[in-house]
Amino acid sequence: MIKTIIEPFKIKSVEPIYFNTREEREAILTKANYNAFTIDAKDVLIDLLTDSGTSAMSSNQWAGIMLGDESYAGSTSFYKFEAAVVDITGMPIVIPTHQGRAAEKILFSIVGGPGKCFISNTLFDTTRANIEYSGAEGIDILCAEGKQPTVPAPFKGNMDIEKLKQLITEKGAENISMVIMTVTNNSGGGQPVSMANIRTVSAICKEHHIPFFIDACRFAENSYFIKLREEGYAHKSVLDIANELFSYADGCTMSAKKDAFANIGGFLALRNPELAVHCRNLLVITEGFPTYGGLAGRDLEAIAIGLREVLDENYLQYRIRSIEYLTNKLIAAGVPVMQPAGGHAVYLDAKAFLSHIPVEQYPGQALVCALYTEGGIRSVEIGSLMFGKYDSDGKLIPAAMELVRLAIPRRVYTQSHIDYVAEVIIEVFEHRDSIKGLMITEEAPLLRHFTAKLVLAK
Ligand code: F0G
């Protein structure tokens, strides 16, 4: 008999959840201007806003915190951190930063700028913002199957190879700062990228002398998908697969708040010593000395331990299975959900879920609000509120997809929490016709979804 895949941990320390009523949540949501980012955490029952920085650390990581060496220069904790990064990435130069976007800011300030462009399967929102802030352009070329939320395929995070070749011809290799592969593809549904796709993109970049970088936030989840789904990898360890994946790249940026189970931290890893000199110069101005880069010694220690723990295949089996478990429950109830299940989150297809709400009224955000009101669940819209732009007439240019992401924090919620989440979503689906669209009343020029104010559409 096939047995339940259980949580591969016991709980040593717990945090209470505070309960509130639907009426209270309605008032909270109105006060928060229909923006889940402005709801206080204490008013949320199940927080699926992000899997970033929200992991439960292990007893080993907490023990490591006590070992943190807080020396300004040459901290012992830095060398443990560096060794863990080198063992996984094979990249000899490791630059710590306080989180992923700090690594991006440093790198893009050096290689970006007006007239340059960055090509990716899909750039994450802060990554795109850092590129655009440097004056450069960010271009996403996700494969066709990645854009069809409910059509299953094994590697929906892949880059469109033909489009890449076409763009190199159009833009000129010298104007392309770098090609960035996001693994797994967060904004495109947490879908993995195949080793074959990474290998091909790397070869094309080499041929044209374009640097190839990995956005490595969820490298372990991606590596495990390769083990499960790509021919020739079933018998390889996740570490071997990760080693191969990074071997094709010239560098990577990483947010340790994801696959390193840390509450803060990140890094930039490189092979090119000249680029490293420029990066470290900026690091000292913006983050700190090269052996701590904006982190405490105890953070470096926790990351070093987390990077090794995440390679545990019992953990990865449970992790991938728990996302699939929620996805399958929703599919069985007829809820339109991204298929197959991604690595860190379940993505609802809001366009299909709320087909009566036009994209100009942000169906994704309307669904985020409905899930909060119904069950106190906090999620995030990944659609036209996050990525929409305006044309010269002020008309909305919608995002390619209208998704709602339910990101599952690592090692935090149990199966009954997830059962409750499924029940709430199914209940919302059953009365979906009563849900109303939204209108923006105030917004910032960049990353507007964090602070936008909305009201119910008329
Ligand atoms: N790249 C990807 C693919 C990400 O998912 C994130 C963060 C970053 C870069 C930036 O890292 O937060 O440490 O600065 N994603 C979080 C999320 C915020 O909710 O998906 P950071």
Side-chain angles (χ1 to χ4, degrees), residues 172-191:
E174 66 286 1
N175 298 316
I176 301 172
S177 291
M178 57 177 56
V179 171
I180 302 175
M181 191 72 94
T182 311
V183 301
T184 57
N185 181 23
N186 184 3
S187 316
Q191 299 293 324

Side-chain angles (χ1 to χ4, degrees), residues 309-388:
E309 281 179 359
V310 78
L311 301 170
D312 172 12
E313 293 184 21
N314 287 324
Y315 161 74
L316 286 166
Q317 181 192 35
Y318 139 81
R319 172 75 176 157
I320 300 305
R321 173 61 196 147
S322 58
I323 312 292
E324 188 185 54
Y325 174 81
L326 176 54
T327 305
N328 289 353
K329 276 194 162 221
L330 298 175
I331 293 171
V335 176
V337 54
M338 183 106 172
Q339 295 182 48
H344 66 292
V346 172
Y347 292 73
L348 304 176
D349 179 358
K351 224 187 251 181
F353 197 117
L354 298 178
S355 54
H356 61 289
I357 301 182
V359 288
E360 293 75 19
Q361 293 183 7
Y362 305 102
Q365 189 64 11
L367 184 50
V368 166
C369 293
L371 296 178
Y372 178 71
T373 313
E374 185 68 42
I377 297 167
R378 178 153 64 173
S379 54
V380 68
E381 189 254 21
I382 301 197
S384 295
L385 180 62
M386 187 180 271
F387 291 120

Side-chain angles (χ1 to χ4, degrees), residues 49-52 98-102 104 122-127 182-187 215 217-218 253-258 265-266 344 380 405 407 450:
L49 184 66
T50 180
D51 62 321
S52 180
H98 80 272
Q99 61 183 80
R101 68 197 72 178
E104 293 163 5
T122 311
L123 296 162
F124 182 63
D125 59 350
T126 59
T127 318
T182 311
V183 301
T184 57
N185 181 23
N186 184 3
S187 316
D215 178 340
C217 299
R218 299 177 180 86
T253 54
M254 161 107 186
S255 166
K257 299 170 75 174
K258 284 90 174 171
H344 66 292
V380 68
R405 184 184 77 171
F450 287 132

Side-chain angles (χ1 to χ4, degrees), residues 43 54 86 178 206 223 428:
D43 297 328
T54 51
V86 172
M178 57 177 56
K206 269 206 180 71
S223 299
V428 169

